[in-house]
Amino acid sequence: MRRRTRDAEPDPYSFGARPYDLVKEFTIAMVVVLALTFALAAVFSSPDDKPLTIAAWAKADPGDFTTTALAELDGSSLTAGYGPPYNAAANGQKLGPLSLAKAAGVTHPIDTAQAFVLGPLGSAPQSAQVAAALSTYDSASADQQGKWTSVYSDALTKANGDPTKVAAGDYGPVPILLGQLLVQAQAGSLDGVLLSEGGFYQSDYTLPLLFLADGSDLAAKASADHLTGTQWGMMNETGNFPGQAWLWLYTFWYQISPYDHSANADALVMGTMALLVLLFVFVPFIPGLRSIPRLLPVYRLIWRRHYRERRES
């Protein structure tokens, strides 16, 4: 049997040639890609919502700001009763018998009256009236402070949260303190005070976020943008835009019982996801589960050509 002779390889210099500017080609391609990137980003990108600030909140809803500041002052706010890591007012969330938050302890202690009201007022130059009000409140007993804030809270409720319509009464220095705090907030200085960490970089937004969260405006904004837990908010983007779809499994648990009404929902979801991850990791070692691929011959469908050739041979 004669062997076929292999065709000789052609001489590369026997073909025609033309100049080719690789740098020019790369530059054109890069410019086109950048232009398309910016154009598509402008049309389809997520909205650039303005950040929520305490100044904007205080200007838009001074009543809610004053009500929230009063709750911080008398210790009835959500933050004041949250528990670890901010205080010891509650045990925090549990995973079965394990009190996870309590075990971690108070790692970021926050005295709401001092952090959100008295501290910001005391750190700024004040008029003689405000300075006297601060001194009076600080020197009063806890019982007296409680009486002032309780009476003013009732009066503020009767005025539908409007501090300008509160009836005259014996509220001690509380109206003066909250009125001056509102002025500082509307001027924008309170945002800066709550962000002050004493270092060059200011990146700890814990205090501003907690203060905003204790009010009602942040929750209303989150609901309007479909970002709450009952709206699958973890995987949503602000506005009507696609978000982080890969987080669907995490936020899914918050939509069903018992997660949707449990006070320990975050801990339960964390525990459930950890259990699922471990389950997938140890599938090869779990009797029964590791046999599923063999019992469900999907692999024969995928490798059907291989098994067909085996049968024919």
Side-chain angles (χ1 to χ4, degrees), residues 24 30 55 90 92 142 158 161 163 171 187 225 254 277 289 306:
K24 179 180 179 181
M30 184 176 66
K158 292 179 181 178
Y171 311 123
D225 286 336
Y254 290 94
V277 169
L289 283 180
H306 166 73

Side-chain angles (χ1 to χ4, degrees), residues 4-181:
R4 295 180 58 186
T5 58
R6 188 176 64 179
D7 295 336
E9 294 183 0
D11 183 1
Y13 295 99
S14 63
F15 297 96
R18 62 184 179 86
Y20 182 78
D21 193 336
L22 183 61
V23 176
K24 179 180 179 181
E25 193 81 10
F26 171 77
T27 303
I28 294 174
M30 184 176 66
V31 170
V32 170
V33 170
L34 285 176
L36 287 173
T37 300
F38 284 113
L40 293 174
V43 176
F44 298 109
S45 67
S46 301
D48 186 15
D49 285 0
K50 293 182 179 180
L52 295 177
T53 63
I54 294 176
W57 170 36
K59 291 176 182 177
D61 197 347
D64 185 58
F65 174 86
T66 302
T67 301
T68 304
L70 178 60
E72 307 292 10
L73 185 62
D74 67 12
S76 62
S77 67
L78 292 174
T79 299
Y82 188 84
Y86 307 124
N87 50 57
N91 290 328
Q93 297 198 22
K94 297 181 178 180
L95 185 59
L98 302 177
S99 182
L100 302 178
K102 188 175 181 180
V106 180
T107 58
H108 197 306
I110 296 176
D111 178 350
T112 57
Q114 185 65 35
F116 298 120
V117 182
L118 302 177
L121 288 173
S123 65
Q126 303 291 357
S127 65
Q129 182 188 34
V130 176
L134 270 172
S135 177
T136 300
Y137 190 87
D138 287 336
S139 60
S141 65
D143 288 341
Q144 182 60 64
Q145 292 174 351
K147 290 179 182 178
W148 284 332
T149 55
S150 177
V151 173
Y152 188 73
S153 177
D154 293 339
L156 191 61
T157 301
K158 292 179 181 178
N160 295 321
D162 188 347
T164 63
K165 297 180 180 180
V166 172
D170 183 14
Y171 311 123
V174 172
I176 297 175
L177 298 178
L178 298 183
Q180 179 58 28
L181 188 70

